[in-house]
Amino acid sequence: MAVLDLRFDGDPVLQQVAKPVTHFGDPLPTLIADLFETMYDAKGRGLAAPQVGVLERVFVIDTTWKEGERRPIAFVNPEITDQAPFKQQGPEACLSIPDRSFDVARPVWVDLAWTSPSGIAQKSRFHGVGAVCVCHELDHLNGILITQTGTEI
Ligand code: NI
């Protein structure tokens, strides 16, 4: 495992649409392990592959580790299949945009379908911080940053 170099706002790689993963063997497990290590090292709750310069549809989150419980989840080829008709506005930060915060509106919940790192289809509903986090990271896979979707606070 390795802590990878982060890409920052202004780097063109952050504005590109990432490609679906089609091969679930190496080096995918290494990429995912490195994303987690980089995320924890940078004190983040989520990290998407484009943020380390890899244009593949992969992101990792752990929304609870800062409160003491590690619950890492890795998402490959994620897609929102349904979402709440209501949005919640809240502050977000991004490891690629240091020392700035943005107010962003996100659905109260989202249903997400994805593939596990071992190639198994998964689906789940995410609420609150979980919904915010998966929407934020999914945006990264589509080249979208909170500088575009939010208001700086
Ligand atoms: Ni981000």
Side-chain angles (χ1 to χ4, degrees), residues 92-140:
E92 293 181 29
C94 179
L95 294 177
S96 294
I97 313 167
D99 305 320
R100 295 170 70 186
S101 295
F102 295 81
D103 215 11
V104 188
R106 302 289 190 189
V108 174
W109 55 260
V110 293
D111 286 341
L112 201 71
W114 72 97
T115 307
S116 76
S118 52
I120 298 165
Q122 311 278 334
K123 59 181 177 181
S124 189
R125 178 166 291 186
F126 293 85
H127 300 264
V129 174
V132 170
C133 218
V134 298
C135 289
H136 178 118
E137 302 310 330
L138 191 52
D139 276 352
H140 274 300

Side-chain angles (χ1 to χ4, degrees), residues 7-24:
R7 302 300 186 95
F8 295 104
D9 188 23
D11 189 319
V13 78
L14 294 175
Q15 292 164 6
Q16 294 178 44
V17 177
K19 293 189 174 67
V21 171
T22 55
H23 176 66
F24 283 80

Side-chain angles (χ1 to χ4, degrees), residues 4-149:
L4 305 175
D5 288 338
L6 287 168
R7 302 300 186 95
F8 295 104
D9 188 23
D11 189 319
V13 78
L14 294 175
Q15 292 164 6
Q16 294 178 44
V17 177
K19 293 189 174 67
V21 171
T22 55
H23 176 66
F24 283 80
D26 289 336
L28 183 64
T30 304
L31 171 64
I32 288 169
D34 290 349
L35 283 171
F36 276 120
E37 188 165 347
T38 305
M39 180 190 78
Y40 289 126
D41 180 72
K43 311 276 189 285
R45 288 190 169 88
L47 187 64
Q51 293 180 274
V52 296
V54 177
L55 281 171
E56 295 189 17
R57 300 189 78 78
V58 178
F59 68 75
V60 300
I61 69 168
D62 186 338
T63 59
T64 58
W65 76 277
K66 289 189 181 185
E67 286 72 48
E69 186 191 359
R70 283 199 179 194
R71 291 173 62 189
I73 314 176
F75 301 81
V76 181
N77 298 339
E79 286 188 38
I80 290 175
T81 57
D82 199 3
Q83 63 184 55
F86 314 107
K87 293 195 171 181
Q88 58 191 352
Q89 194 98 7
E92 293 181 29
C94 179
L95 294 177
S96 294
I97 313 167
D99 305 320
R100 295 170 70 186
S101 295
F102 295 81
D103 215 11
V104 188
R106 302 289 190 189
V108 174
W109 55 260
V110 293
D111 286 341
L112 201 71
W114 72 97
T115 307
S116 76
S118 52
I120 298 165
Q122 311 278 334
K123 59 181 177 181
S124 189
R125 178 166 291 186
F126 293 85
H127 300 264
V129 174
V132 170
C133 218
V134 298
C135 289
H136 178 118
E137 302 310 330
L138 191 52
D139 276 352
H140 274 300
L141 305 186
N142 293 321
I144 297 166
L145 299 176
I146 54 177
T147 50
Q148 298 158 256
T149 56

